[in-house]
Amino acid sequence: MKIRPRNRRIGILLSGRGSNFEAIAANVSEGKLWAEIAAVISNVESAPGLARARDRGLNAICIPSKGKSRESFDAELVRALTAADVGLVVLAGFMRIFSAVMLQAYPNLILNIHPSLLPSFPGRDVQQQALDHGVKFSGCTVHLVNEALDGGPIVLQAVVPVMDTDDADALAARILVQEHRIFSEAIDLVLSGNCELQGRRVRANQ
Ligand code: GRF
């Protein structure tokens, strides 16, 4: 099955700091990533990433999630994404799980970045999980979003060595450098329309 966004307009969703958003936005404005940031949406008004998006003059929207059911929040999100004519949704530190409402509106058209080599260490406190387990390598994963938490088909990964001296913050910082690199690469790959999904395997046809 081909993965083919209908356009190159991306919607970036975030809940916090927004360093992945910044890296993507910089690549777009420097012409390194052929995409248009059609909307930046946060469920948290105070998210620094949302302020950064406003500073860049982007279409920055807050849709508060507090007190809403998953379905009604997702329905609002779909309306905003559709209004902005978004073809591909990019989760850059977006701390919400989707209902079928979002997954059906954007099937295989939502990318997430996760700071471990999935399927190892899904969920939260990921770097601490990796340290506690004693792995010698960790990294990051860009994957398609489906109903399984951090469980969708893998688009790209990068490997990062774990040092004996690492604490969770040091490991997170080293992984973040790679996140900023591979997220734009993965977006570019999917936007190219040359990706194919075979079972769980995402293959890039050149
Ligand atoms: C990143 O580590 C990302 O992998 C995870 O959430 C964090 C977001 O960081 N999903 P930032 O907001 O992009 O700086």
Side-chain angles (χ1 to χ4, degrees):
M1 186 205 310
K2 282 269 185 201
I3 305 170
R4 195 160 268 164
R6 64 175 185 280
N7 58 32
R8 285 185 169 262
R9 294 171 63 79
I10 61 175
I12 300 180
L13 273 49
L14 55 83
S15 303
R17 177 177 63 179
S19 74
N20 276 285
F21 151 69
E22 277 284 0
I24 295 163
N27 283 333
V28 169
S29 58
E30 288 164 24
K32 294 179 186 156
L33 171 61
W34 177 24
E36 196 174 334
I37 301 177
V40 179
I41 302 177
S42 180
N43 60 321
V44 180
E45 176 61 54
S46 59
L50 197 59
R52 289 170 166 205
R54 289 196 179 110
D55 290 347
R56 284 181 171 270
L58 293 167
N59 177 25
I61 304 163
C62 177
I63 303 178
S65 54
K66 225 174 172 183
K68 290 176 192 161
S69 71
R70 266 192 221 303
E71 287 75 13
S72 64
F73 174 74
D74 283 7
E76 272 188 68
L77 203 52
V78 170
R79 274 198 294 279
L81 291 166
T82 308
D85 193 20
V86 165
L88 179 69
V89 178
V90 171
L91 308 186
F94 187 63
M95 306 306 275
R96 296 274 306 176
I97 294 171
F98 289 137
S99 69
V101 174
M102 252 306 273
L103 297 175
Q104 283 167 13
Y106 284 92
N108 291 321
L109 291 170
I110 306 173
L111 284 178
N112 182 43
I113 188 145
H114 183 79
S116 76
L117 291 175
L118 291 169
S120 290
F121 314 127
R124 293 192 183 215
D125 295 326
V126 170
Q127 288 86 9
Q128 194 58 52
Q129 283 189 56
L131 291 176
D132 291 346
H133 198 90
V135 294
K136 300 299 182 192
F137 291 92
S138 188
C140 49
T141 303
V142 180
H143 65 91
L144 301 174
V145 173
N146 63 13
E147 57 295 332
L149 177 68
D150 300 324
I154 292 167
V155 179
L156 283 181
Q157 292 185 304
V159 176
V160 170
V162 178
M163 307 299 184
D164 288 346
T165 50
D166 273 348
D167 59 12
D169 288 344
L171 180 57
R174 200 172 318 110
I175 291 173
L176 201 60
V177 175
Q178 299 305 317
E179 292 186 37
H180 294 168
R181 183 176 64 81
I182 68 166
F183 213 176
S184 288
E185 273 182 37
I187 293 166
D188 190 45
L189 199 61
V190 171
L191 288 180
S192 74
N194 291 327
C195 281
E196 200 159 335
L197 190 58
Q198 292 175 348
R200 283 193 50 89
R201 296 181 79 182
V202 177
R203 293 180 150 175
N205 303 316
Q206 295 312 323

